């Protein structure tokens, strides 16, 4: 039987508040257990899974309402939703951690604010944290840090957050589980002839027009933020699917039926990104390399400090640097993993020496191959 999910290796799963929390009955425990059983199966099959979970505010509202602070209905003031998130997030983390432990898996909570994905240095930092957790086979449980995010500086919806996370960790697939099974060509509630769009190869104005604006009081994202998420994901080479999460074992269901709206990744995404690095940015420094490092770069490898002979300029981590070959001619450009000061301290060093010099959390590359483009 065809399995619609097994061809993907690194999968980000976003679950909406309305799937996780029933305003009347609280957390939908049996459903979450079934989802995490699916996640455990994927992990056992060698897949890397990350979860972007909403529900902190919805769960906090519900818990506080049980204590006589009635937050059940209506829109909350900013400080109320921040404090409700603080209550809900701690409960949510405990449930994820305990349930995954039952499957012999470790959960790693990561709370992000918008600056953590939009500012290059913080982006690299968050990316390394997530990559390390994944390398330990922990399951990242990610949400916006709603307790400190203010209205001007927040995502607000987890659809776009999940897309940024998916692109940040170069996921192959982003699954947006929602209470609707995908994008329809007309509003399905009012139009009995509305048809589910099962595949979107490019997001044009017709697709955007189908999205509308609808959202409920518990989930901020409607179809519009899901289409925004699709643009972010697919332009960076991540496939995306909007699917119903309403059944038990939603991942098994999706794998079996494939029902949902699938967005194809843009096949040119890698070279687009590399063109962007090569063309658009200010150069803040120069790194000269030896002949061995040049061969490694041409073979698609990262630039390691061992092959570096000279560092010039005042660059900061995340800035664009030019890479010069042994004869002094520019051979590549990329984004620096270190400030110039730290880069100077580790020139020529092997990985083990770098951790002695800069501590165990030090990164092994000076320019990671994902952020490096060879001159044409
Ligand atoms: N971050 C919010 C929460 O955990 C949810 C945002 C959304 O519904 O997309 O409650």
């Amino acid at each position: 039987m065809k399995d619609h999910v097994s061809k993907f290796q690194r999968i980000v799963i976003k679950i909406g508040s309305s799937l996780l929390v029933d305003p009347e009955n609280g957390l939908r425990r049996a459903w979450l257990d079934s989802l995490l059983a699916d996640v455990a199966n994927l992990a056992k099959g060698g897949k890397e899974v990350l979860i972007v979970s909403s529900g902190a505010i919805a769960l906090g509202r519900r818990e506080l309402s049980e204590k006589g602070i009635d937050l059940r209905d209506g829109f909350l003031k900013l400080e109320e939703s921040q404090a409700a998130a603080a209550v809900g997030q701690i409960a949510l983390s405990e449930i994820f951690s305990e349930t995954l432990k039952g499957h012999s898996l470790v959960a790693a909570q990561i709370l992000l604010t918008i600056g953590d994905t939009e500012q290059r240095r913080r982006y690299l930092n968050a990316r390394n944290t997530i990559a390390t957790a994944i390398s330990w086979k922990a399951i990242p449980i990610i949400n916006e840090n709603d307790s400190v995010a203010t209205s001007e500086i927040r995502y607000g919806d987890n659809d776009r957050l999940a897309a940024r996370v998916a692109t940040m960790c170069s996921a192959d697939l982003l699954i947006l589980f929602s209470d609707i099974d995908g994008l329809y060509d007309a509003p399905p509630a009012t139009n009995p002839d509305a048809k589910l769009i099962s595949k979107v190869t490019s997001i044009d104005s017709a697709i955007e027009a189908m999205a509308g604006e609808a959202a409920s009081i518990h989930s901020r994202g409607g179809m519009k933020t899901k289409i925004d998420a699709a643009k972010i994901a697919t332009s960076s080479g991540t496939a995306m699917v909007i699917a119903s999460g309403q059944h038990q074992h939603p991942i098994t269901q999706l794998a079996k039926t494939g029902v949902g709206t699938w967005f194809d990744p843009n096949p040119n995404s890698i070279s687009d990104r590399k063109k962007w690095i090569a063309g658009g940015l200010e150069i803040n420094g120069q790194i000269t390399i030896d002949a061995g490092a040049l061969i490694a770069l041409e073979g698609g490898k990262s630039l390691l400090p061992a092959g570096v002979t000279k560092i010039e300029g005042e660059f900061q981590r995340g800035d664009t640097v030019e890479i010069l070959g042994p004869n002094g001619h520019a051979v590549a450009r990329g984004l620096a993993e270190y400030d110039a000061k730290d880069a100077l301290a580790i020139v020529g060093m092997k990985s083990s020496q770098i951790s002695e010099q800069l501590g165990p959390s030090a990164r092994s590359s000076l320019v990671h191959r994902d952020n490096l483009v060879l001159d044409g």
Side-chain angles (χ1 to χ4, degrees):
M1 190 178 61
K2 192 169 173 216
D3 174 335
H4 296 266
V5 173
S6 64
K7 67 175 173 192
F8 301 101
Q9 171 60 22
R10 185 170 285 183
I11 304 170
V12 176
I13 297 168
K14 182 257 170 175
I15 47 183
S17 302
S18 62
L19 293 173
L20 205 56
V21 185
D22 178 315
E24 290 308 312
N25 303 310
L27 188 79
R28 295 179 62 222
R29 192 63 210 240
W31 178 84
L32 182 61
D33 285 349
S34 80
L35 173 94
L36 293 180
D38 284 356
V39 167
N41 268 337
L42 288 178
K44 278 184 197 122
K47 307 286 185 196
E48 297 157 319
V49 185
L50 298 88
I51 298 174
V52 175
S53 178
S54 304
I57 297 173
L59 198 59
R61 289 176 81 151
R62 167 109 202 136
E63 291 216 352
L64 288 159
S65 298
E66 274 181 2
K67 296 268 176 284
I69 302 158
D70 193 6
L71 301 175
R72 222 172 281 255
D73 298 312
F75 285 92
L76 301 186
K77 289 191 228 127
L78 174 65
E79 61 276 20
E80 287 174 334
S81 58
Q82 287 178 318
V87 171
Q89 185 63 41
I90 197 165
L92 212 49
S93 317
E94 189 188 347
I95 295 158
F96 274 108
S97 170
E98 285 304 312
T99 312
L100 287 170
K101 210 179 275 175
H103 294 285
S104 309
L105 290 169
V106 175
Q109 175 179 266
I110 299 166
L111 300 179
L112 299 172
T113 46
I114 198 157
D116 294 317
T117 59
E118 303 315 297
Q119 291 169 21
R120 174 76 55 190
R121 249 163 265 153
R122 287 168 62 186
Y123 169 92
L124 290 173
N125 197 29
R127 193 181 68 170
N128 282 322
T129 305
I130 294 172
T132 305
I134 294 172
S135 75
W136 291 339
K137 305 208 181 312
I139 309 286
I141 308 293
I142 300 166
N143 197 356
E144 180 159 19
N145 194 348
D146 291 307
S147 302
V148 297
T150 57
S151 48
E152 314 81 62
I153 47 160
R154 69 188 318 218
Y155 282 96
D157 68 89
N158 276 6
D159 295 324
R160 291 175 308 143
L161 171 64
R164 291 298 269 151
V165 165
T167 61
M168 182 188 255
C169 67
S170 307
D172 311 297
L173 176 65
L174 166 63
I175 304 175
L176 297 185
F177 278 130
S178 148
D179 51 10
I180 183 160
D181 48 12
L183 177 68
Y184 280 80
D185 62 359
T190 52
N191 187 338
D193 295 330
K195 281 192 201 55
L196 179 70
I197 311 275
S198 56
K199 196 168 183 55
V200 175
T201 42
S202 83
I203 302 163
D204 54 21
S205 51
I207 295 292
E208 296 203 37
M210 288 172 201
E213 296 279 345
S216 76
I217 63 164
H218 284 296
S219 70
R220 288 159 191 271
M223 201 46 84
K224 165 135 187 6
T225 57
K226 291 179 177 48
I227 301 299
D228 289 345
K231 283 192 210 157
I232 295 169
T234 57
S235 66
S236 293
T238 300
M240 191 186 103
V241 59
I242 304 170
S244 168
Q246 283 183 318
H247 324 268
Q248 302 269 318
H249 294 285
I251 304 172
T252 308
Q253 278 286 334
L254 177 66
K256 217 189 288 177
T257 66
V259 173
T261 302
W262 293 82
F263 295 80
D264 284 346
N266 176 353
N268 299 321
S269 59
I270 306 291
S271 62
D272 279 349
R273 173 175 165 71
K274 297 210 165 187
K275 274 183 212 152
W276 172 75
I277 291 175
L281 304 175
E282 200 188 337
I283 305 288
N284 300 91
Q286 274 83 23
I287 298 178
T288 307
I289 61 174
D290 63 21
L294 180 56
I295 291 169
L297 255 50
E298 285 169 348
K301 298 267 178 5
S302 296
L303 175 60
L304 303 180
V308 171
T309 54
K310 193 157 97 185
I311 307 261
E312 294 160 286
E314 287 295 319
F315 56 90
Q316 308 270 305
R317 185 169 167 219
D319 283 352
T320 302
V321 289
E322 198 165 38
I323 300 170
L324 309 179
N327 61 5
H329 290 304
V331 292
R333 284 181 190 188
L335 306 180
E337 292 279 333
Y338 283 98
D339 292 354
K341 183 171 79 51
D342 284 340
L344 271 173
I346 58 173
V347 164
M349 285 187 180
K350 298 210 169 20
S351 298
S352 56
Q353 297 168 301
I354 299 171
S355 19
E356 269 169 42
Q357 176 81 20
L358 296 178
S361 59
R363 287 156 196 94
S364 54
S365 58
L366 253 186
V367 178
H368 192 274
R369 64 197 174 104
D370 290 349
N371 297 324
L372 190 142
V373 54
L374 295 173
D375 285 0

